[in-house]
Structure formats: structure tokens, C-alpha cells
Amino acid sequence: MRALLQPGEEISYLFPASMVGGPYSSSHFLVAVTDSSITVLDTGLGGRTRPNAVWRRYPRHTKLGPVDLRVIPEFQLGGRVYEVDEEYVAEINAADAEWSADAMPPDPLPHL
């Protein structure tokens, strides 16, 4: 998988997702959240564990959430809807929190 990422990228979060709707419906992907990008890796129709190509790459500050929890958890990325297993919702929320200004407590000593 590292061969599909940019040189020196460090993976922070990695989770499987399936695209909903469109010509790629039911296609499986791995979403790699690194220190510099969010990279969607195509695993093809045969499996969910071995990526074979980069599907899309987004800047790291791109938000994945909010996750829609109505039936099967879904998130939108690049205008496409992806489904994830419930166990990965926490990863998506954590990845988004890293880039959210209100995720961190206020600086107790802002004047320093």
C-alpha cells in the first residue's frame, strides 16, 4: 500500500469503505488518512484488503464527516457517498477532529 502513497507520507487512519450509487456502486476501497492527504485506494470488486490503484487523492484538511448514521453509516467525499462499518465511525470523527478549530480546548495562556 505504501507504494501507492506519496513518498514520506505517514498513515494516521486506515479503513475500508464501499461506494454507494453510480457506476462504481459496491466497489470496495481503502481510505488512507495520512499527514498530508486523504487517499482513496481502489481494491477492485474482488476484495477489500489489497489496494491496486489510487482512486482519488484529497488535501488532508478535507473533511470526511459528518457521518450519516441512519441505517448503514455513510460519509461523503469528493461528491461521492461511501458506506463504512459502524466500527470505523470513530476513526472518521477522529480524523476530522484533527483539523477542526473547535476540537481542541482553548489556549489557557493565549498571551504567551
Side-chain angles (χ1 to χ4, degrees), residues 1-15:
M1 176 179 4
R2 290 199 183 275
L4 298 173
L5 299 175
Q6 297 295 322
E9 277 188 299
E10 293 295 322
I11 298 171
S12 299
Y13 305 96
L14 180 68
F15 56 90

Side-chain angles (χ1 to χ4, degrees), residues 19 21 27-29 40 54 93 99 111:
M19 191 177 295
S27 293
H28 300 295
F29 300 90
V40 181
V54 172
N93 291 336
W99 286 89
H111 58 283

Side-chain angles (χ1 to χ4, degrees), residues 5 11 16 18 22 30 37 42-44 74 76 80 82 89:
L5 299 175
I11 298 171
S18 299
L30 288 173
S37 72
D42 186 2
T43 62
E74 296 180 346
Q76 291 189 29
R80 294 174 173 83
Y82 297 87
V89 172

